[in-house]
Amino acid sequence: MNLSKRFQMVNAGRFVVYSCILVFSLLISLWGDGLIHWNIWTVFLPIWLWKLFIIIGSVVGIGVWCHRPAYRYERGSFIQFRAMIISTALHLLLMLYEVLVCIRIESGSPRFPWTLVFSPLMFASLLSIILCLWAVKNDRGFEMELLCSVNCLQFIFIAIKLDKFVSWNWLVS
């Protein structure tokens, strides 16, 4: 198989998402270890780029849906439109969490508790349980929804541990 056929098989959307996550993971690791001294908002830039693509894609999708009524009558198009709106709403909740994390890290104030920072993630987790059921019913993919829903308790426990409401060890033995 030649190289051009391999590039045609690549899912461009997933490539962008995984690239943004990779760059963010590298930057947050370097920032956490003190090897780079950048502003936390700059470290989160790859994640903002990913969310920007999602918002632009959603706006374009809504525009096409509103200006081309013929698409509404195609088989399955209404489910596709709903899935796009649901995915965008879930990403906006994740973006709200990321903004709150940046604000909390930048301020360092205990008056801004981690439980408040994690509240969009907790809400997204609870919403994702319902969205998983909807996705199964409508034969849709639900990777991100499943990831959010299974980590609901973990988000709660991390938030209360960071606020020092419990004195558990991070290490599980």
Side-chain angles (χ1 to χ4, degrees), residues 105-169:
I105 289 173
E106 196 172 64
S107 72
S109 171
R111 284 193 244 154
F112 192 55
W114 283 104
T115 48
L116 178 66
V117 171
F118 275 79
S119 60
L121 267 187
M122 293 175 207
F123 180 69
S125 297
L126 295 175
L127 182 64
S128 291
I129 295 169
I130 298 166
L131 295 178
C132 283
L133 297 173
W134 180 84
V136 168
K137 178 185 170 221
N138 291 297
D139 196 29
R140 301 279 313 153
F142 55 96
E143 295 100 6
M144 192 176 85
E145 291 85 357
L146 186 62
L147 182 69
C148 286
S149 63
V150 299
N151 288 316
C152 184
L153 287 175
Q154 185 174 354
F155 297 146
I156 293 169
F157 289 140
I158 289 173
I160 63 175
K161 171 67 176 158
L162 287 173
D163 280 337
K164 297 182 173 106
F165 289 136
V166 293
S167 59
W168 299 330
N169 288 332

Side-chain angles (χ1 to χ4, degrees), residues 18-141:
Y18 293 149
S19 297
C20 289
I21 291 173
L22 175 67
V23 172
F24 170 72
S25 298
L26 292 172
L27 289 177
I28 199 73
S29 298
L30 293 172
W31 181 84
D33 288 341
L35 298 175
I36 58 173
H37 302 287
W38 294 356
N39 188 350
I40 190 66
W41 296 91
T42 308
V43 172
F44 272 76
L45 199 60
I47 300 293
W48 308 130
L49 182 66
W50 170 25
K51 300 300 192 270
L52 178 69
F53 285 140
I54 290 169
I55 292 169
I56 290 172
S58 183
V59 168
V60 169
I62 291 170
V64 168
W65 182 263
C66 291
H67 293 302
R68 305 276 184 196
Y71 291 140
R72 296 180 197 162
Y73 302 112
E74 289 181 12
R75 185 172 176 250
S77 66
F78 189 65
I79 293 173
Q80 294 278 2
F81 182 72
R82 274 189 185 167
M84 180 192 69
I85 297 298
I86 289 169
S87 178
T88 303
L90 203 53
H91 278 87
L92 288 175
L93 281 172
L94 291 175
M95 189 169 87
L96 178 60
Y97 164 72
E98 294 154 5
V99 167
L100 290 174
V101 165
C102 288
I103 291 171
R104 173 63 168 95
I105 289 173
E106 196 172 64
S107 72
S109 171
R111 284 193 244 154
F112 192 55
W114 283 104
T115 48
L116 178 66
V117 171
F118 275 79
S119 60
L121 267 187
M122 293 175 207
F123 180 69
S125 297
L126 295 175
L127 182 64
S128 291
I129 295 169
I130 298 166
L131 295 178
C132 283
L133 297 173
W134 180 84
V136 168
K137 178 185 170 221
N138 291 297
D139 196 29
R140 301 279 313 153

